[in-house]
Amino acid sequence: KIEQVAAQTYTIREFTKTPGEIRRSLRKLKEIGYGAIQASAMGPIPPTDLKRLCHDYGLTICAVHEPSQQILDDPQSVIEKMQALECDIVAYPFPRDIDCGSEESVNELIGKLRNAGKAMAAEGIALSYHNHHQEFRKLGGKLILEKIMEGVPADCLSFEIDTYWVQYGGCDPVRWCAELEGRLPAIHLKDYRITDENKIDFAEVGEGNLDFKAIISAAESSGCRWFIVEQDTCPGDPFDSLAHSFDYIRDNLCD
């Protein structure tokens, strides 16, 4: 449903550095047609002010990205922010300072994710792991993402699959949406294209080569609630890219 489509504000991070910019950017997203956002990469703004602005523009805060180390080392502060935002999905964005070639380092990450996820689950908040490509590296015969999935119980950790980075890591986004049945509250819709220079690049949804009909079908079967559009870099105005993706999803992928 189009009501389940959200914009990841990381895409417009150059336009959300001050409260005034955040206000104008939220209004633009609403004008495009988005009814929800994932709050990320914003300049300093109190959570209550952000919540009020979103309420004023009729935008739901469906999920949040918070700094990796803060989630692992100070989950209580994240819980308090999530409660102020009235949001129940927080994504662990990136395995910063984790040596993905070290079993010890990865196991330490798994232990910290388990502890943080348990604390958040007790407050009704889902901690979700957002992948890039390095989680599809094999370590001890298993993909790192498999190790994380098996090492942290489902009631302590869900996942926020990023379609582009799964493909970049050499795996199948459809398979991973199915693999995470019951653990996929949100997904990042991000297309993957080959440029005229034969280089890999980010693309607006529908402009690359990912099979989004199959991806969305698999994600829905796994219980996904939010389909979040993100584009790490854009060829021009990022609002234009978000609008292009939204229009494609509305016209081709929604009921």
Side-chain angles (χ1 to χ4, degrees):
K1 301 292 190 298
I2 196 64
E3 295 81 10
Q4 294 172 279
V5 178
Q8 175 29 320
T9 60
Y10 180 78
T11 309
I12 53 169
R13 57 196 177 277
E14 296 302 319
F15 300 88
T16 57
K17 294 181 178 180
T18 68
E21 288 182 332
I22 291 169
R23 183 184 303 106
R24 289 188 291 273
S25 294
L26 293 177
R27 183 177 67 245
K28 285 185 178 181
L29 293 178
K30 184 63 177 180
E31 289 170 352
I32 290 169
Y34 287 99
I37 66 163
Q38 180 172 36
S40 177
M42 291 187 173
I45 183 171
T48 50
D49 289 357
L50 177 59
K51 174 65 180 174
R52 189 188 70 252
L53 284 175
C54 287
H55 180 269
D56 289 346
Y57 290 118
L59 292 166
T60 298
I61 303 173
C62 70
V64 175
H65 269 196
E66 287 297 295
S68 302
Q69 287 308 119
Q70 185 178 359
I71 287 173
L72 298 181
D73 297 334
D74 189 11
Q76 186 57 40
S77 68
V78 177
I79 289 168
E80 291 169 3
K81 180 174 181 179
M82 297 296 290
Q83 290 170 335
L85 292 172
E86 297 180 13
C87 178
D88 65 357
I89 302 172
V90 59
Y92 175 85
F94 186 78
R96 193 168 304 282
D97 299 325
I98 304 300
D99 179 359
C100 290
S102 163
E103 290 262 15
E104 181 181 2
S105 186
V106 171
N107 286 336
E108 182 180 0
L109 169 63
I110 289 170
K112 289 188 173 184
L113 286 169
R114 187 186 304 117
N115 293 336
K118 183 177 181 180
M120 293 182 189
E123 300 296 334
I125 297 166
L127 175 60
S128 295
Y129 190 99
H130 173 262
N131 69 277
H132 287 79
H133 64 290
Q134 58 264 57
E135 292 88 356
F136 297 96
R137 175 179 181 175
K138 280 194 172 180
L139 193 61
K142 282 190 175 182
L143 299 178
I144 291 172
L145 199 63
E146 290 175 328
K147 287 179 170 289
I148 294 169
M149 182 178 68
E150 295 170 5
V152 187
D155 59 355
C156 294
L157 187 69
S158 58
F159 291 81
E160 182 185 67
I161 284 296
D162 185 300
T163 56
Y164 173 95
W165 289 114
V166 175
Q167 182 82 0
Y168 191 94
C171 287
D172 178 8
V174 177
R175 177 215 155 185
W176 271 97
C177 286
E179 190 81 22
L180 292 167
E181 182 176 0
R183 300 181 72 171
L184 188 67
I187 186 172
H188 276 182
L189 303 183
K190 183 188 302 180
D191 218 338
Y192 179 104
R193 73 184 181 99
I194 308 301
T195 69
D196 293 341
E197 294 77 29
N198 292 318
K199 295 181 179 180
I200 298 166
D201 198 9
F202 304 100
E204 293 80 6
V205 176
E207 291 298 317
N209 57 27
L210 295 185
D211 185 352
F212 280 104
K213 287 188 177 180
I215 289 169
I216 287 174
S217 177
E220 285 188 315
S221 294
S222 288
C224 188
R225 293 187 281 132
W226 293 104
F227 298 81
I228 303 168
V229 178
E230 181 183 40
Q231 192 166 336
D232 296 30
T233 60
C234 303
D237 186 333
F239 291 98
D240 291 342
S241 289
L242 286 174
H244 185 104
S245 292
F246 182 87
D247 291 346
Y248 180 86
I249 292 167
R250 181 196 61 211
D251 296 341
N252 297 278
L253 302 175
C254 287
D255 294 337

